[in-house]
Amino acid sequence: MTTFNRRTLLKTGASIGGLAVAGAAIGTPLIAQSRSLKVGSYGGYFENSFKEFVYPEFTAATGITVESVTQPNSADWLVTMQQAVPAGSIPTDISLYGRDSMIKASRIGGLIAPLDISAIPKAENLDGYFVFEGPEGPQGVGAMSWFSAMVVNPNQVDIPASWADFWDTDKFEASLGLSNVHSNGLLDITAATFFDGEETMMSNEGILAILDKVRELKPNVTLWWNAESQMEQGMKNGDVIGGQYYLDVANLMAADGFPIKATFPKEGNLQDYGSWCLTAGSEKSAEAAEFMNYSSDPATQALMSRKIGTAPLVDKAMTDLTDDEFNFVSGSPSIKPAYEAYLDNETFIKESWDKMLAES
């Protein structure tokens, strides 16, 4: 599942292969020499922003030096960890995992360590959904999230109140841009709009019913995109007047004067997130708990929203984010991807999706 393993943020991305590890000690006061922590995160702009804005503040607050480790998307990193952990050569104490990779890791066992959540009291600031419970107890603490949103050209069409409006041919015939990847959210959006959400995704019959509904949408789709740049260009040149796109990128485009408006319809937008996980075999569980605790602080969540462009995992009222700052990266309600369905039934979902797309 590749759904929004997307903090190759803003396409500046980590084109990293295998175990491309770049270490750099950040802000090393003399008092911090005896305590350190290796933290993995996606590379490029994303990692650089952590190194510039987050790690130094953490070191100043705790005296723990951070060594930044570049990791690829969490699915590829999980493969690396399957080799590294049994060999006793772990590259990080903490890694960043999408929920789907956490589920995989917890099922494999022995890759991510259970957490003493009492040592991470600020995790209580997070919605319980973002503290991942594995078979051995808590195994992941939410780090940050990101949204894929409804977007429209406000010069061409009124802002829809519901995703269901995209099925209206009078408004959107041959004018929508949607991802052609089965796991990029249209199934979840359709399930939330017309069915019983994630529950409908849990059976083959439900999946086929959702696909039948997506099939009705096809006359309104002019672009099935597989690269962000395709959707970006379609919105800029007016070929596309609505669709699904990344909230942060859409807002950046709007700030640059392009005719695009991201909005939260009544069903919500698709929200994915990444979590900090403690690597099995790490001897830095105490330092890792301090880092996760620091990350869960509303002030840190606000810092990441401002400096990295991620959505906070705490209620806006707990932060000092302005309405404009919050709306640039987040909103409500949210639609959660059906992670378990994609993992357990990936072949059927992908094959049924590809068959639907290939139909004339």
Side-chain angles (χ1 to χ4, degrees), residues 312-332:
L313 296 180
V314 300
D315 189 89
K316 174 184 175 294
M318 301 177 71
T319 75
D320 64 348
L321 292 170
T322 67
D323 289 344
D324 286 345
E325 287 174 327
F326 180 81
N327 293 336
F328 196 85
V329 296
S330 190
S332 63

Side-chain angles (χ1 to χ4, degrees), residues 1 3-4 163 167 181-201 210 214 244 267-271 335-342 349 353:
M1 178 177 172
T3 308
F4 308 127
W163 284 103
W167 274 256
V181 179
H182 73 283
S183 56
N184 266 9
L186 184 57
L187 293 177
D188 302 281
I189 289 167
T190 306
T193 303
F194 296 103
F195 300 95
D196 294 325
E198 184 174 354
E199 181 180 344
T200 310
M201 291 281 292
I210 293 167
V214 174
Q244 178 193 355
E267 299 85 10
N269 283 322
L270 198 77
Q271 182 181 22
I335 298 170
K336 305 296 194 300
Y339 299 98
E340 298 275 359
Y342 287 111
I349 294 173
W353 169 270

Side-chain angles (χ1 to χ4, degrees), residues 255-267:
D256 286 339
F258 293 104
I260 185 170
K261 170 69 176 176
T263 185
F264 276 73
K266 66 180 183 181
E267 299 85 10

Side-chain angles (χ1 to χ4, degrees), residues 13-179:
S15 50
I16 325 154
L19 185 59
V21 176
I26 309 300
T28 316
L30 290 176
I31 62 169
Q33 294 299 320
S34 62
R35 303 186 76 200
S36 63
L37 190 66
K38 292 182 179 181
V39 179
S41 66
Y42 312 141
Y45 169 89
F46 186 68
E47 182 186 12
N48 290 337
S49 296
F50 265 94
K51 289 162 68 174
E52 182 176 358
F53 300 112
V54 178
Y55 298 155
E57 295 294 329
F58 170 70
T59 298
T62 64
I64 299 171
T65 300
V66 174
E67 181 179 336
S68 183
V69 178
T70 305
Q71 67 169 86
N73 69 70
S74 55
D76 291 343
W77 192 240
L78 185 59
V79 175
T80 295
M81 287 302 206
Q82 285 182 266
Q83 300 170 345
V85 172
S89 56
I90 59 174
T92 64
D93 300 299
I94 296 174
S95 291
L96 187 62
Y97 286 101
R99 189 177 180 96
D100 56 326
S101 293
M102 280 194 297
I103 295 171
K104 288 180 182 178
S106 68
R107 291 177 177 182
I108 294 168
L111 298 180
I112 53 178
L115 300 171
D116 177 5
I117 207 69
S118 68
I120 314 171
K122 290 182 180 178
E124 292 185 1
N125 294 321
L126 311 181
D127 185 294
Y129 175 80
F130 298 115
V131 177
F132 177 73
E133 289 281 342
E136 302 174 72
Q139 290 186 283
V141 172
M144 77 295 288
S145 70
W146 46 91
F147 282 88
S148 175
M150 171 188 281
V151 296
V152 296
N153 181 331
N155 299 333
Q156 298 292 324
V157 66
D158 293 336
I159 308 282
S162 167
W163 284 103
D165 288 10
F166 276 2
W167 274 256
D168 186 342
T169 302
D170 291 337
K171 294 180 181 179
F172 290 105
E173 183 176 11
S175 63
L176 296 176
L178 298 169
S179 172

